[in-house]
Amino acid sequence: MTETTSLSRIDDAALNTLFRHARTAKNFAPDPIPDADLHAIYDLVKMGPTSMNLQSLRVVYVQSAEQKARLSEHLSEANRAKAASAPVNAILAADTDFHETLHITTPHFPGAKDSFADESRRETMARGQAWLAAGYFIMAVRALGYAAGPMGGFKAAALDSDFFAGSSWRSICVVNIGKPGPDAWQDRAPRLDFDYAARIV
């Protein structure tokens, strides 16, 4: 049976949490994040739409001191203190062999796997859809009452060789997660107006 949900507009408090008042955190309180909440973040993310429901995003939650130190070696100098202050760092990756699970995620299309035989096309799709899901990931973190600090400054090849050796996972970004610490926010940078960036035709 297909589950249906009536659509309704969320209230301003929820919109503020997800968008208007949300900011990228630069430092975090030391409060640990329960494993149940890490599961809950992913369980929200996986519900977001991706092309053909291919679900190429993979997540590694880094929380032990040993593993955080290991991750830090691959981060740019400017990002190390921010990452160290967060109780959890999430490595978001694209699985370039996502086609191996299409029989699970796309049962209505029996030939789905064969349509991604070309490795170059598969990697392009994997990365593009993983980036889409990364946006869902940040929204899910915020929805559960945490601050997110996405970062792009890291040595991807070295990180992949260390954390994902022998696998088809390829890192795309690192997201720091936790409750905001003191002076966690920078002033919000300007946004482009609708009339500049959008149009109705």
Side-chain angles (χ1 to χ4, degrees):
M1 178 181 294
T2 300
E3 179 181 342
T4 58
T5 304
S6 60
L7 300 179
S8 60
R9 185 168 180 153
I10 62 177
D11 62 21
D12 274 349
L15 290 171
N16 289 340
T17 295
L18 295 176
F19 295 100
R20 300 187 189 117
H21 295 172
R23 309 286 275 279
T24 296
K26 61 182 181 178
N27 61 67
F28 297 83
D31 313 50
I33 300 177
D35 286 357
D37 282 353
L38 301 180
H39 283 265
I41 291 168
Y42 177 75
D43 285 341
L44 290 172
V45 173
K46 71 182 182 183
M47 303 309 292
T50 53
S51 178
M52 291 177 60
N53 196 35
L54 56 83
Q55 296 188 45
S56 60
L57 182 72
R58 305 292 181 263
V59 183
V60 174
Y61 291 113
V62 182
Q63 58 182 355
S64 73
E66 177 185 358
Q67 295 302 317
K68 285 171 68 69
R70 180 180 168 198
L71 172 63
S72 181
E73 294 179 4
H74 306 300
L75 302 179
S76 67
E77 187 65 35
N79 282 336
R80 288 178 180 173
K82 290 184 282 188
S85 75
V88 175
N89 316 115
I91 305 173
L92 305 191
D95 185 355
T96 60
D97 279 349
F98 66 84
H99 64 317
E100 297 292 351
T101 56
L102 288 180
H103 65 287
I104 299 171
T105 61
T106 316
H108 54 280
F109 181 7
K113 177 180 177 179
D114 295 338
S115 69
F116 288 102
D118 181 80
E119 185 175 351
S120 177
R121 175 173 181 254
R122 199 166 67 241
E123 179 164 355
T124 298
M125 283 292 289
R127 289 184 177 275
Q129 298 307 300
W131 272 115
L132 175 61
Y136 304 146
F137 188 91
I138 293 168
M139 293 295 106
V141 169
R142 292 173 175 178
L144 293 180
Y146 297 102
M151 307 187 303
F154 62 93
K155 301 171 185 175
L159 188 154
D160 292 350
S161 178
D162 188 1
F163 280 84
F164 305 140
S167 82
S168 55
W169 296 18
R170 302 292 180 265
S171 56
I172 60 170
C173 69
V174 176
V175 182
N176 302 321
I177 307 171
K179 296 292 185 180
D183 191 29
W185 321 114
Q186 294 178 328
D187 291 338
R188 187 186 296 283
R191 264 46 175 182
L192 297 176
D193 292 335
F194 180 95
D195 288 343
Y196 184 90
R199 65 184 63 177
I200 301 172
V201 298

